[in-house]
Amino acid sequence: MPISTRDIGFEYGRLFAQQGQLPRLPVPSLQKTLAKYSESLEPLLPSDKLAYSKRVIHEFGESAQGQELQRRLEARAQDPSCANWLEEWWNDLSYMGYRDPVIPYVSYHYSFNDDPLCSRPNQRAAKLIAGAMAFRQAIIDGSLPPETAKTGALCSHSYKFMFNACRIPQKPSDICRTVPYEGNDTIVVIRNAQFFLLPLVQDGIMMTQAEVERVLDRIVAQADTNAAVPVGLLTADNRDTWAENRRYLIDAGNAAVLNAIESSAFVVALEASRPVTREEFSHAIWHGDGRSRWFDKPCQFVVCDNARAGFSGEHSMMDGTPTLRLVQYVIENSPLPMGSANVRNCTFEQLHFRTPPGLVAAAKTAERLFIEGTEKQHLAVLNYSAYGKEEIKRLGCSPDAFIQLALQLAYTRLYGGARPTYESSMTRKFLHGRTETCRSVTRDSVAWCRAMMSLSSNDEERTSLFQTALATHTRLVREAVEGQGVDRHLLGLRMVLRPEETKPEIFEDPAYAYSSHWYLSTSQVSSENFTSYGWSEVTPKGYGVAYNIRKECLIIHIACMRNEHALNSDHLAQYLETALNDVRNMLLKA
C-alpha cells in the first residue's frame, strides 16, 4: 500500500492563511546559550564539577570548532528549503527513531469530565464522533481559523497529521502515513479486540448522532458475542518488532485491513471497563488492556461502559495544544442532532484479520510486554481543591511559575535537593515550531526552597526569595517560547558535527548528560473539561508531572516507574499538596 497519498505541503483555508508570514525558528547567539547553560548548572553541581564544566563551556565558546558548528547551524536555518532547522532532527530523535513502545512511553491522554447529558456509553461516543467530524470538516472546508497567541497566529502544520493519518513502524525510524480526506470519511470502532469500519457518510449524507449511536449498539452486541486475536496489541510492541510483525500481517493477507485502519479519520475505542477512581480512569483512557486500541493512530477517543470518556494521543507529529483544541471543541459542541424522527439503518463492516500461528504468538508476546510496561506505571492524580488559577492570580503570581516552584519545593523536601527539571514551552509562533525546554531549577528556586526548609528564615524573607524565583522562571519560559532556550540549540550544534570530527569536550562532560536527564518532566495543559491529563516519566529515575490549572482547583497527574529506584507518586503528590498549602500561607502572611 502507498505510504502517503495526501500532499502535506498543500495548505488551504483560514487555518493555514498565516503560515507564509510566520518567522523561522532562530538560532540563538552561541555566547548567550553557553552563558545560560553555564548558569543552569550552578544549582545542580558541586563546586569542583561546576568549575570543570564552566571551563569546558568557556573553551568551547572560544574555540574554532564551536564557531564553525554555530556557522553550520546558522546556514541550515537560512536554507530556503528548510522550514525549520530543528524539525527533522527533533522528530526523528524524540519520536520516529525512538524504538521503545509508544505506550506508555510516548502517548498521552486526556480524561474528560462526565457528561450529564449522556448516561449511555454509545450515546457519549456518538456525540464525540459528531464533534470530531465537525472539527475535521472545518479543516477540510477551510473555515477553521489558526490558533493565536499574544504574538499572533501559531503554526498550523501539525494539524495535517491529526485526521486520516497514522504512524507506521519502520527500521530504523518510523514515518507518518497520510491519506486524502476525500473519500475517507470513515472511522474505526474497536470493541473486544475486534475492528469495525464505519463510513460516516452513507448515501451521500453524514450520519446523525442517533444513527451513529444505533450502529454502535449493534457493533457492541456483535463484538461481545465473539472473540478475536488482539492484533491491536502489536502496536504496543518495540517498534522494530512491530515493523517486522506489520510486514508479517501484510504477507498474511491483511493489507486491506491495515489500510482501512491507517487511513481512517480516527479511532473510537469502546472499552468494557468501568473505572471509578481517578487513577483507574487515567489508566483506562491512557491504555486500557491494550486489546481494543491501535496505538499508532494520533487520535483515539475512548469511551468506557459507564459512559466515562477521554482521548488517547500518539505524540510523534503533534504536541498537546492542537489536540487540546480538538477535544475542547468536541466536548463543548454537539453539531448534529441527538435524535431524529428518521433514523436510517446504516451499515458497517467488520474487519477480519488473518492470524496464522506466528501472529498469534506475536500478539501474546506483545501483550506480555504491554502488561509489564503499564503495570510498572505508578499513578497518583492529585485533585487539589483548596484554590486554583483565580486565587493564584489574586496573589499576584503567574499560575504556571507558581506550580513549578511548588513542585520544586515538594521534590526538594522529599529527596533533600533539586535535580534537573524539564518544562515544555511551546514554540509554535515559529514555522513548524514545536517545543523548547525551560530548565526549571535555578539558583533562585533553590535559594527559596532552602529558605522554606530553614527554621531561621521568616515569611518576609521567604516571600522575597519566592518573588525573585518566580520572576526568574517567568523570564526563562518567555525566552524558551522565543526560541532562546538552551537544549534545542545545543542539540543542533551536536547534530551538525560530522562523523569524522572529534566530539567537543562540552558534549563529553558528564554534566551535559546529567543536566538533561529529567528527574522531573513537566508540562501544563489546562482545561475546565478535564478531570486529568497525563503521560509517563521520561527516565526510570524520574517522574512525569502533568498539571491542569483550573479556575478553582489544580489537577496534577504524577507518574513514575515501579522499579529499583523506589519512587512513589503518592508520596510526591502528598508533598506537593503540603507545598501548595505552604506557599499560599506564606504569601498571605507576608
Side-chain angles (χ1 to χ4, degrees):
M1 72 190 69
I3 289 301
S4 287
T5 53
R6 189 197 326 150
D7 180 7
I8 60 170
F10 179 74
E11 296 178 346
Y12 166 78
R14 295 178 65 195
L15 184 62
F16 301 104
Q18 303 298 315
Q19 293 290 99
Q21 284 74 53
L22 293 177
R24 293 186 173 225
L25 182 69
V27 176
S29 155
L30 179 61
Q31 295 304 322
K32 287 183 178 180
T33 293
L34 294 180
K36 290 178 186 178
Y37 175 49
S38 178
E39 184 178 341
S40 77
L41 298 180
E42 292 177 5
L44 298 173
L45 301 179
S47 58
D48 56 337
K49 293 183 178 180
L50 179 62
Y52 170 76
S53 294
K54 282 182 173 288
R55 177 180 64 78
V56 167
I57 293 168
H58 176 75
E59 290 174 353
F60 177 73
E62 297 297 316
S63 70
Q65 186 182 36
Q67 300 299 322
E68 172 60 17
L69 296 180
Q70 176 75 2
R71 186 198 64 77
R72 292 177 193 171
L73 192 57
E74 289 173 347
R76 178 182 173 92
Q78 293 165 8
D79 182 350
S81 67
C82 181
N84 183 304
W85 62 261
L86 176 65
E87 180 181 23
E88 181 181 352
W89 294 331
W90 182 250
N91 288 351
D92 185 66
L93 291 173
S94 296
Y95 299 108
M96 294 304 191
Y98 184 72
R99 298 291 86 191
D100 283 341
V102 295
I103 190 73
Y105 306 114
V106 176
S107 298
Y108 61 97
H109 73 280
Y110 304 133
S111 299
F112 301 162
N113 296 344
D114 293 342
D115 187 340
L117 300 179
C118 293
S119 59
R120 300 186 304 278
N122 292 338
Q123 180 189 35
R124 184 87 187 267
K127 186 177 181 182
L128 296 175
I129 291 167
M133 289 302 286
F135 191 88
R136 175 179 175 272
Q137 183 58 37
I139 294 177
I140 295 170
D141 67 24
S143 63
L144 186 72
E147 294 172 83
T148 58
K150 293 179 181 178
T151 55
L154 300 178
C155 182
S156 299
H157 179 67
S158 56
Y159 281 83
K160 299 175 182 180
F161 307 99
M162 182 176 285
F163 298 110
N164 301 99
C166 192
R167 181 169 173 165
I168 305 295
Q170 290 188 354
K171 297 180 182 181
S173 186
D174 295 354
I175 57 92
C176 184
R177 180 189 180 202
T178 58
V179 301
Y181 300 125
E182 184 179 358
N184 288 298
D185 297 308
T186 61
I187 64 170
V188 167
V189 180
I190 315 176
R191 171 76 174 194
N192 193 24
Q194 295 160 71
F195 293 73
F196 301 85
L197 186 68
L198 176 57
L200 291 173
V201 175
Q202 303 209 3
D203 298 324
I205 302 172
M206 180 68 72
M207 293 174 63
T208 66
Q209 285 181 220
E211 290 167 344
V212 172
E213 184 180 351
R214 175 179 288 184
V215 168
L216 296 180
D217 288 341
R218 291 161 56 201
I219 286 174
V220 169
Q222 182 170 321
D224 286 358
T225 56
N226 295 289
V229 175
V231 176
L233 280 164
L234 296 176
T235 66
D237 211 335
N238 170 276
R239 301 306 294 178
D240 287 345
T241 305
W242 170 214
E244 294 169 0
N245 285 327
R246 183 175 180 275
R247 171 48 54 188
Y248 192 179
L249 279 168
I250 292 172
D251 292 343
N254 294 295
V257 175
L258 284 173
N259 182 62
I261 296 170
E262 293 166 1
S263 62
S264 64
F266 53 88
V267 161
V268 176
L270 300 179
E271 294 278 4
S273 62
R274 293 174 172 269
V276 176
T277 69
R278 296 184 185 93
E279 290 76 14
E280 288 173 349
F281 190 22
S282 286
H283 277 296
I285 299 302
W286 189 14
H287 52 74
D289 64 6
R291 290 172 158 256
S292 297
R293 304 294 178 93
W294 198 263
F295 290 112
D296 285 352
K297 290 294 282 186
C299 297
Q300 291 191 94
F301 290 92
V302 183
V303 181
C304 302
D305 264 1
N306 56 358
R308 306 197 81 182
F311 175 92
S312 177
E314 199 285 306
H315 202 353
S316 60
M317 298 304 291
M318 283 190 299
D319 297 311
T321 45
T323 55
L324 170 64
R325 185 187 189 190
L326 163 66
V327 298
Q328 293 274 69
Y329 180 94
V330 169
I331 292 169
E332 295 172 1
N333 294 272
S334 181
L336 299 180
M338 293 298 292
S340 172
N342 300 307
V343 178
R344 296 174 295 170
N345 189 26
C346 296
T347 61
F348 64 92
E349 174 190 355
Q350 183 163 3
L351 302 173
H352 294 281
F353 280 100
R354 293 183 174 93
T355 52
L359 282 172
V360 175
K364 290 180 179 178
T365 299
E367 185 167 33
R368 286 194 293 270
L369 182 65
F370 168 84
I371 291 172
E372 178 186 349
T374 55
E375 286 189 348
K376 280 184 178 179
Q377 291 298 308
H378 182 215
L379 304 187
V381 182
L382 173 61
N383 186 1
Y384 184 81
S385 58
Y387 59 89
K389 178 175 65 177
E390 297 304 319
E391 175 70 4
I392 295 172
K393 291 169 71 174
R394 279 193 291 269
L395 293 169
C397 302
S398 156
D400 180 78
F402 185 100
I403 300 298
Q404 286 286 329
L405 286 174
L407 183 58
Q408 286 300 314
L409 178 58
Y411 189 91
T412 300
R413 284 172 167 172
L414 181 57
Y415 292 105
R419 291 193 178 98
T421 301
Y422 170 100
E423 181 185 0
S424 178
S425 297
M426 181 180 67
T427 56
R428 286 180 56 215
K429 67 175 288 184
F430 301 106
L431 187 65
H432 294 197
R434 293 194 64 172
T435 61
E436 172 60 277
T437 303
C438 173
R439 293 186 165 213
S440 298
V441 177
T442 65
R443 290 172 301 185
D444 295 325
S445 70
V446 168
W448 171 69
C449 288
R450 287 174 179 163
M452 290 295 290
M453 297 168 66
S454 171
L455 296 177
S456 62
S457 295
N458 57 44
D459 285 325
E460 183 177 356
E461 178 187 1
R462 291 167 176 165
T463 299
S464 176
L465 290 170
F466 179 79
Q467 296 294 352
T468 300
L470 203 72
T472 297
H473 186 86
T474 301
R475 172 178 59 81
L476 291 175
V477 169
R478 184 169 59 249
E479 291 173 354
V481 169
E482 294 294 329
Q484 301 294 319
V486 168
D487 291 87
R488 306 298 188 262
H489 188 191
L490 292 181
L491 171 63
L493 295 171
R494 197 157 50 87
M495 294 303 294
V496 294
L497 189 71
R498 293 167 184 156
E500 70 275 10
E501 293 176 327
T502 302
K503 184 181 289 188
E505 194 174 356
I506 187 175
F507 299 125
E508 299 283 14
D509 178 12
Y512 177 67
Y514 171 71
S515 69
S516 56
H517 192 83
W518 308 118
Y519 288 77
L520 286 171
S521 177
T522 73
S523 184
Q524 176 197 169
V525 168
S526 291
S527 170
E528 297 295 317
N529 294 310
F530 297 169
T531 62
S532 74
Y533 99 98
W535 25 265
S536 75
E537 68 292 329
V538 298
T539 168
K541 297 181 180 179
Y543 293 92
V545 182
Y547 51 101
N548 178 2
I549 305 176
R550 291 173 54 157
K551 291 180 180 179
E552 303 299 337
C553 70
L554 308 170
I555 303 175
I556 300 103
H557 181 285
I558 302 173
C560 69
M561 192 179 290
R562 293 184 174 95
N563 57 22
E564 69 276 16
H565 301 297
L567 303 184
N568 190 303
S569 294
D570 290 325
H571 291 177
L572 183 57
Q574 184 61 57
Y575 272 79
L576 181 54
E577 182 175 4
T578 301
L580 290 166
N581 290 335
D582 290 348
V583 174
R584 183 175 67 162
N585 290 338
M586 173 196 72
L587 294 173
L588 291 175
K589 291 177 183 177

